[in-house]
Amino acid sequence: MARTISYREAINEALHQEMERDESVLVMGEDNAGGAGSPGEDDAWGGVLGVTKGLYHRFPGRVLDTPISESAFVGAAIGAATRGMRPVAELMFIDFMGVCFDQIFNQAAKFRYMFGGKAETPVVIRTMYGAGLRAAAQHSQALYPLFTHIPGLKVVVPSSPYEAKGLMIQSIRDNDPVIFCEHKAMYDATGDVPEDSYTIPFGEANVVRDGEDVTIVAIGRMVSVAEEAARTLSSSGVEAEIIDPRTTSPLDTETILESVENTGRLVVVDEATPRCNLATDISALVAKEAFGSLRAPIEMVTAPHTPVPFSDALEDLYIPDAQRVTNAVKTVTEWKS
Amino acid sequence: MTDTLSTGVTRELDENALLDAYRTMRTIRAFEERLHDEFATGEIPGFVHLYAGEEASATGVCTHLDDRDSIASTHRGHGHCIAKGVDVKAMMAEIYGRRTGSCHGKGGSMHIADLSKGMLGANGIVGGGPPLICGAALAAKQQRTGGVGVAFFGDGASNQGTTLEALNLASVWNLPAIFVAENNGYAEATASTWSVAADNIADRAAGFGMPGVIVDGFDFFAVYEAAGEAIERAREGGGPTLIEVKFTRYFGHFEGDQQTYRASEVANARENLDCLKRFRSRVTETGQVEAAKLDAVDAQVADLVDAAVDEAKAAPKPTAADLETDVYVSY
């Protein structure tokens, strides 16, 4: 039975169900319970934005608060994963990858290959990304392209509560290291989510909306931005097909190419900064593999090549919005060679 | 159980155990000295960092370990691999970049691993191992196996934030973890007396609420004793220990290092500071092991290393079909 719950609740429910199902699943991170060693209540926070709330009391000994030592506890999660556990470590903000990236990209990502196929590292690193909360340059970035670049990592960017739950359960059950990118401005977004456990496979894009005139590939929170644009465009007679890749690694190239072969036009919407991001990656793919189908140059709607600004006046300009997507679609649909 | 050694060693090692420890140390020494010679021929690709001179550390610690236990190693990892039971021939083949190697030729000297033996890998990143060992120790604790995790790292890594974070986390979580700082005097070409802003690395243990111990790294029995205490405490839930093993390496940072930063201590070390010589004189003087049995081990080890090199050289290299395999379990 589906009911309407939030993105935050969907992730919490996925963790809950997997911890129930498999006792090798551990949760760890800064304030994932909150209150360790403090005179007040245990599970005071359940994570800085409440995603892990309630797990601490339900699963004694399996929700671990940590010191603010990302290298140590992300590394510990990775080490434990090689020894039969399925840890879910929370790297609170994706920006903090800077203080623990070695453990992720030199250790976890490489074990399997470097050790000749003899290692399995089923770790999930949950992390929140994205702009919109006036959190400024060091708490707002969309850094999933950096992880996508690394062979050995899988990268998940859920766009809705339904996707979040199914992809989290898949992430925990997956036997490779997974970076699970939660958009911090979406935690209160709601949607229909089945109560029962379910998985969404990696590398299978979701066609969010059918359309004949243009393909919009959108990542994470940009899916809802693309949907808003598509509604506007529809009223002026342009039907956009929206594709949510769901995972940036692996990437479902087939669904994207099939769509572009049908529409002949591509707009990629990516909240990341514009150099070497998903927009450039997907554009290069389409330019190479579907060149003959293209009826207009590809458009990319991204953040500018700047850090994320603080002031609302600037941050609102920074984040791709429906108007920019609409403009990009008009550019490709009205393009004349 | 048999006699205890007379000089304060309370954990008994019978003749077989002493011969096993000697065999491990001799294997490491012979393996590394042979690599030193073979590297000079130009046949071995990449970077090779030799552990000769440091054998008592890996052996003194790993003699206490079994299949429940995990270790993490360093770029100077051959000794730890051998001491944890990784197949010597597969190691040699790996160093030669062969498909028959421990990692099918995809890892090389700096990444030899055998997870089935609890060997979580040599590691090309200085300070890479200690956080991982917190995880191995956490897994053992959660699974109630009684297992421990041992992180070997060098004096260079003792200055890495990852190591210091791991020491703190291990104490905070009360993990069954042992941190073995192998202070061979130099981080690459920089003296540890300069780069470590404390008299001893072990002194840092106090800052992380755990015992710190200094041992003579040329003395197998000193390492064995200190490690035994720490491992026993860890297995019983008593938390982590930092052990600093002091010695010097016989060869350079990597093969090809001219070592112009060093004085004449190397020749002196080989003559007077040799864990194998000390071990031999001690166990023969106490009458625990006959010299002839040690000689027999030397001969067997020499044969093993000869065979390992011959087989490695004859083994096939990986092929194009291997290039893109084993990146993921599934993708």
Side-chain angles (χ1 to χ4, degrees):
Chain A
M1 255 270 302
R3 61 277 101 98
T4 300
I5 61 173
S6 70
Y7 191 81
R8 173 190 290 107
E9 290 165 331
I11 297 164
N12 182 279
E13 188 167 274
L15 292 168
H16 197 114
Q17 289 178 349
E18 284 305 284
M19 291 183 84
E20 190 84 60
R21 191 184 69 86
D22 180 352
E23 65 175 23
S24 69
V25 179
L26 294 177
V27 165
M28 62 177 78
E30 291 152 16
D31 300 306
N32 267 6
S38 311
E41 61 175 320
D42 294 329
D43 200 26
W45 280 14
V48 69
L49 291 183
V51 178
T52 48
K53 186 77 178 169
L55 299 174
Y56 177 82
H57 289 296
R58 178 67 191 78
F59 303 103
R62 293 168 60 194
V63 178
L64 307 177
D65 276 341
T66 70
I68 301 182
S69 305
E70 285 86 358
S71 280
F73 77 77
V74 168
I78 293 162
T82 68
R83 304 283 78 194
M85 306 304 289
R86 289 186 179 271
V88 181
E90 182 186 295
L91 177 60
M92 189 185 292
F93 289 89
I94 201 169
D95 316 72
F96 303 168
M97 66 180 275
V99 293
C100 62
F101 201 27
D102 176 68
Q103 289 292 324
I104 299 170
F105 93 103
N106 270 325
Q107 310 295 338
K110 295 189 169 52
F111 284 165
R112 187 161 183 83
Y113 191 82
M114 192 161 78
F115 300 160
K118 290 185 227 161
E120 289 191 10
T121 311
V123 66
V124 181
I125 298 169
R126 290 182 43 237
T127 185
M128 62 173 133
Y129 80 96
L133 295 193
R134 320 310 183 200
Q138 297 173 342
H139 288 72
S140 301
Q141 296 168 86
L143 297 176
Y144 46 81
L146 291 176
F147 295 103
T148 305
H149 183 68
I150 308 294
L153 298 179
K154 292 176 177 173
V155 184
V156 181
V157 194
S159 62
S160 73
Y162 174 82
E163 314 288 333
K165 180 175 173 182
L167 289 166
M168 174 54 80
I169 292 175
Q170 176 61 36
S171 298
I172 293 170
R173 295 183 189 178
D174 199 90
N175 290 321
D176 291 307
V178 175
I179 311 297
F180 192 90
C181 304
E182 303 165 11
H183 200 296
K184 67 173 78 63
M186 288 184 69
Y187 282 127
D188 292 322
T190 56
D192 287 348
V193 178
E195 270 186 72
D196 288 345
S197 177
Y198 61 94
T199 58
I200 297 174
F202 291 169
E204 287 189 19
N206 181 33
V207 180
V208 178
R209 184 183 194 281
D210 292 320
E212 294 291 321
D213 300 316
V214 60
T215 300
I216 304 177
V217 178
I219 314 293
R221 191 167 87 85
M222 294 297 105
V223 172
S224 57
V225 171
E227 285 182 286
E228 189 188 338
R231 284 191 291 271
T232 309
L233 289 160
S234 183
S235 65
S236 58
V238 174
E239 296 302 334
E241 184 148 289
I242 300 176
I243 295 174
D244 169 11
R246 291 169 163 164
T247 58
T248 62
S249 179
L251 180 68
D252 180 355
T253 56
E254 204 174 308
T255 300
I256 295 169
L257 292 170
E258 268 175 24
S259 176
V260 175
E261 279 158 12
N262 187 42
T263 64
R265 301 178 183 92
L266 175 66
V267 172
V268 190
V269 191
D270 184 356
E271 191 182 322
T273 52
R275 300 297 315 282
C276 300
N277 65 2
L278 264 296
T280 59
D281 187 59
I282 291 167
S283 297
L285 167 82
V286 169
K288 181 167 186 301
E289 303 293 335
F291 184 73
S293 304
L294 285 172
R295 293 151 68 185
I298 297 163
E299 279 290 308
M300 292 179 266
V301 182
T302 72
H305 190 60
T306 70
V308 182
F310 167 63
S311 172
D312 56 351
L314 295 176
E315 192 183 33
D316 289 348
L317 291 172
Y318 176 94
I319 306 166
D321 62 12
Q323 185 60 54
R324 286 180 58 202
V325 177
T326 306
N327 293 346
V329 169
K330 284 185 178 158
T331 301
V332 298
T333 53
E334 293 170 9
W335 191 80
K336 302 262 188 307
S337 57
Chain B
M1 304 297 275
T2 59
D3 299 339
T4 58
L5 286 152
S6 56
T7 48
V9 174
T10 53
R11 285 170 186 76
E12 294 125 2
L13 285 167
D14 63 18
E15 186 186 38
N16 284 336
L18 288 167
L19 280 167
D20 284 347
Y22 181 78
R23 181 185 301 277
T24 300
M25 291 199 291
R26 176 57 71 195
T27 305
I28 298 169
R29 177 70 56 86
F31 190 92
E32 300 294 60
E33 290 192 326
R34 182 62 181 270
L35 276 178
H36 178 72
D37 294 341
E38 294 293 334
F39 191 87
T41 69
E43 251 192 277
I44 295 176
F47 301 126
V48 176
H49 309 80
L50 301 181
Y51 194 73
E54 308 187 16
E55 296 86 350
S57 176
T59 310
V61 174
C62 292
T63 296
H64 294 283
L65 304 182
D66 59 41
D67 289 346
R68 300 170 291 173
D69 305 316
S70 305
I71 67 167
S73 172
T74 72
H75 56 285
R76 198 175 305 289
H78 305 163
H80 306 127
C81 291
I82 291 171
K84 195 68 172 69
V86 180
D87 182 76
V88 168
K89 289 181 172 179
M91 285 178 60
M92 190 65 85
E94 186 62 33
I95 292 165
Y96 274 86
R98 306 297 162 148
R99 197 169 195 283
T100 54
S102 313
C103 309
H104 300 164
K106 287 178 165 178
S109 166
M110 278 191 283
H111 306 301
I112 298 175
D114 187 344
L115 277 85
S116 70
K117 303 273 187 194
M119 201 303 170
L120 303 190
N123 206 309
I125 304 299
V126 170
L132 300 170
I133 273 308
C134 285
L138 174 66
K141 188 176 176 180
Q142 296 286 135
Q143 295 158 352
R144 296 185 176 82
T145 61
V148 301
V150 179
F152 291 97
F153 58 98
D155 45 287
S158 79
N159 296 325
Q160 280 280 32
T162 49
T163 304
L164 303 172
E165 284 188 23
L167 287 164
N168 187 62
L169 184 67
S171 257
V172 168
W173 280 354
N174 192 40
L175 294 175
I178 294 91
F179 297 89
V180 181
E182 298 185 321
N183 184 352
N184 65 20
Y186 294 93
E188 298 190 346
T190 300
S192 62
T193 49
W194 180 85
S195 67
V196 177
D199 291 339
N200 302 290
I201 295 167
D203 296 347
R204 291 177 172 172
F208 298 108
M210 68 176 76
V213 186
I214 299 169
V215 297
D216 175 355
F218 295 109
D219 182 353
F220 164 83
F221 296 99
V223 177
Y224 179 77
E225 184 72 6
E229 255 185 64
I231 291 166
E232 196 173 299
R233 182 164 52 240
R235 290 199 201 284
E236 289 169 358
T241 302
L242 172 60
I243 299 172
E244 179 179 2
V245 184
K246 287 183 189 277
F247 42 28
T248 192
R249 53 171 147 83
Y250 285 0
F251 296 114
H253 167 62
F254 46 60
E255 285 308 275
D257 175 5
Q258 296 304 310
Q259 303 188 72
T260 52
Y261 50 91
R262 297 180 88 170
S264 57
E265 83 257 14
V266 184
N268 173 56
R270 277 179 166 270
E271 196 53 41
N272 301 309
L273 300 170
D274 182 335
C275 59
L276 280 154
K277 284 183 186 166
R278 281 204 198 170
F279 186 98
R280 175 183 277 266
S281 56
R282 174 134 163 201
V283 298
T284 50
E285 279 164 23
T286 58
Q288 291 231 304
V289 184
E290 291 168 25
K293 289 187 176 171
L294 299 173
D295 294 341
V297 169
D298 291 348
Q300 288 160 6
V301 166
D303 289 347
L304 172 66
V305 172
D306 281 349
V309 171
D310 291 346
E311 288 176 27
K313 286 179 175 175
K317 289 190 173 176
T319 67
D322 300 309
L323 178 63
E324 295 187 34
T325 59
D326 290 330
V327 180
Y328 296 90
V329 177
S330 62
Y331 194 62

